[in-house]
Amino acid sequence: MNMDSPFILVNLKTYQEGMGHNAHRIAAAAEIVAKESGAVIGIAPAFTELHPMSHHYAIPVYAQHIDAITPGAHTGHILPEAVRSAGARGTLINHSERRLTLADIDACVQAARRLHLESVVCTNNDATSAAAAALRPDYVAIEPPELIGSGVSVSKADPGIIERSVNAVRAVNPDVNVLTGAGIQSGECVKIAVDLGTCGVLLASSVVKADDPEAVLRDLVSLL
Ligand SMILES: O=C(CO)COP(=O)(O)O
């Protein structure tokens, strides 16, 4: 990843709007806007969409979760090797909607490192951001849970948590990049986040539920 380029990571979650045909629509929009803006725009689709997305679009694709298991007798788990061979660049770990124990987060980060998958560890406050940074992931993504899906932007409602998380992560491990998310919806939100020391944003609803995801993505990168 070129760290001079801002990073916009769109989590499609399990929104109906992020499935099937619409996942293609969002990925195609991300590819167009990334190309014209120079921003890196990735998507984290449903597991079943990882391969089609990574196969059809020149954008980085991320899993929404992995389980820290190795190949063998496990049922209903997400094998990191499977995510890798489906073409994922990396994976979210410990999203607020898919929380893990600290030991599991550590094991997932190690599995990702072993397989050369980028690890994006989600956190809910500056203390957990510091703890996550100690595990040496590629990214810590601070998302206050109460603002997720709220339509109220963390950049505007709680810039302090971004600033404190950036400082906490830098103090523990300056090689770890910081993303932020929750309610991000405009270029202004992204600019505030980047000005506070993040390398970009993790977001979902404003793009996934948009009638015109390309227009929203274009707005998101417009002030960078
Ligand atoms: O949880 C998020 C991204 O992973 C944020 O979701 P919203 O952008 O919908 O608030």
Side-chain angles (χ1 to χ4, degrees):
M1 168 97 33
N2 174 5
M3 287 323 305
D4 296 336
S5 308
F7 183 25
I8 311 286
L9 180 51
V10 184
N11 179 3
L12 307 194
K13 303 196 175 185
T14 51
Y15 284 120
Q16 193 78 40
E17 295 90 334
M19 301 292 170
H21 170 71
N22 268 323
H24 281 274
R25 210 165 64 103
I26 293 165
E31 189 179 66
I32 290 167
V33 176
K35 198 175 273 179
E36 67 187 31
S37 68
V40 176
I41 305 180
I43 62 166
F47 296 110
T48 47
E49 304 286 347
L50 281 173
H51 185 259
M53 293 298 121
S54 69
H55 191 69
H56 282 106
Y57 302 97
I59 56 169
V61 171
Y62 290 73
Q64 296 178 12
H65 167 77
I66 52 172
D67 288 304
I69 54 161
T70 50
H74 307 276
T75 300
H77 289 73
I78 304 296
L79 181 68
E81 280 82 350
V83 160
R84 179 84 196 118
S85 61
R89 163 89 61 93
T91 184
L92 301 181
I93 295 170
N94 192 49
H95 190 277
S96 265
E97 293 151 5
R98 192 66 175 87
R99 286 245 175 98
L100 301 173
T101 65
L102 190 56
D104 288 337
I105 298 168
D106 183 29
C108 287
V109 170
Q110 289 189 41
R113 192 177 301 128
R114 179 168 49 80
L115 293 167
H116 305 288
L117 285 168
E118 288 178 5
S119 48
V120 182
V121 176
C122 301
T123 59
N124 60 317
N125 60 36
D126 38 304
T128 54
S129 297
L135 306 175
R136 297 189 295 119
D138 294 290
Y139 298 89
V140 165
I142 167 68
E143 296 196 303
E146 68 279 8
L147 298 179
I148 290 177
S150 68
V152 176
S153 162
V154 60
S155 297
K156 295 187 180 167
D158 197 357
I161 200 170
I162 304 175
E163 201 167 10
R164 289 194 304 279
S165 293
V166 167
N167 291 337
V169 168
R170 278 193 189 141
V172 173
N173 187 339
D175 293 336
V176 176
N177 299 295
V178 180
L179 296 169
T180 192
I184 299 288
Q185 53 202 286
S186 68
E188 204 186 344
C189 304
V190 178
K191 182 170 182 345
I192 292 169
V194 169
D195 287 348
L196 289 171
T198 71
C199 63
V201 297
L202 173 60
L203 80 167
S205 47
S206 68
V207 172
V208 181
K209 297 170 116 179
D211 290 336
D212 185 350
E214 188 177 319
V216 176
L217 286 167
R218 199 167 277 123
D219 180 35
L220 288 166
V221 299
S222 63
L223 301 179
L224 297 173

